[in-house]
């Protein structure tokens, strides 16, 4: 088993760049190729604005760690739009 750091977003990026999973096993070439293909497409996508992207990331990641009502309150307090019904349904399975 690997002793590398497995916390934080950078840990994932570092493992992908080495092609080695956290358990020390190689990541299959097919998976790496598809990942790189999709990331290249994303890199070429026109962005709608920093604030929109920040909110999307906050919702996507925050929903894993913060209860719905709390996340909604935090979004509104920071000046972001509250959670949308489709986000609640998707991230909170409601």
């Amino acid at each position: 088993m690997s002793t590398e750091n497995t916390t934080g977003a950078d840990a994932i990026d570092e493992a992908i760049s080495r092609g080695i999973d956290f358990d020390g096993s190689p990541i299959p070439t097919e998976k790496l190729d598809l990942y790189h293909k999709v990331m290249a497409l994303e890199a070429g996508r026109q962005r709608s604005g920093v604030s929109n992207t920040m909110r999307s990331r906050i919702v996507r990641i925050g929903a894993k760690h913060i209860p719905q009502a709390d996340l909604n309150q935090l979004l509104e307090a920071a000046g972001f739009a509250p959670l949308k019904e489709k986000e609640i349904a998707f991230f909170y399975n409601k």
Side-chain angles (χ1 to χ4, degrees):
M1 181 175 270
S2 178
T3 60
E4 68 184 294
N5 181 12
T6 59
T7 59
D10 290 344
I12 297 292
D13 292 336
E14 290 170 17
I16 291 168
S17 71
R18 286 193 305 276
I20 305 294
D21 206 330
F22 292 146
D23 65 2
S25 65
I27 300 170
T29 303
E30 297 81 7
K31 289 182 179 182
L32 287 170
D33 289 348
L34 178 57
Y35 176 83
H36 290 300
K37 179 179 181 177
V38 171
M39 291 303 106
L41 292 169
E42 180 66 9
R45 183 174 63 87
Q46 180 64 42
R47 304 299 178 194
S48 61
V50 174
S51 225
N52 289 339
T53 300
M54 287 173 57
R55 185 191 176 283
S56 294
R57 290 178 180 176
I58 290 166
V59 170
R60 186 182 77 238
I61 296 167
K64 296 176 187 176
H65 306 284
I66 303 170
Q68 175 188 333
D70 295 343
L71 180 56
N72 201 47
Q73 183 178 17
L74 292 167
L75 285 168
E76 290 187 33
F80 288 109
L83 290 169
K84 300 170 188 167
E85 288 302 317
K86 67 179 185 176
E87 292 169 331
I88 294 168
F90 183 80
F91 292 111
Y92 291 99
N93 298 313
K94 293 183 180 181

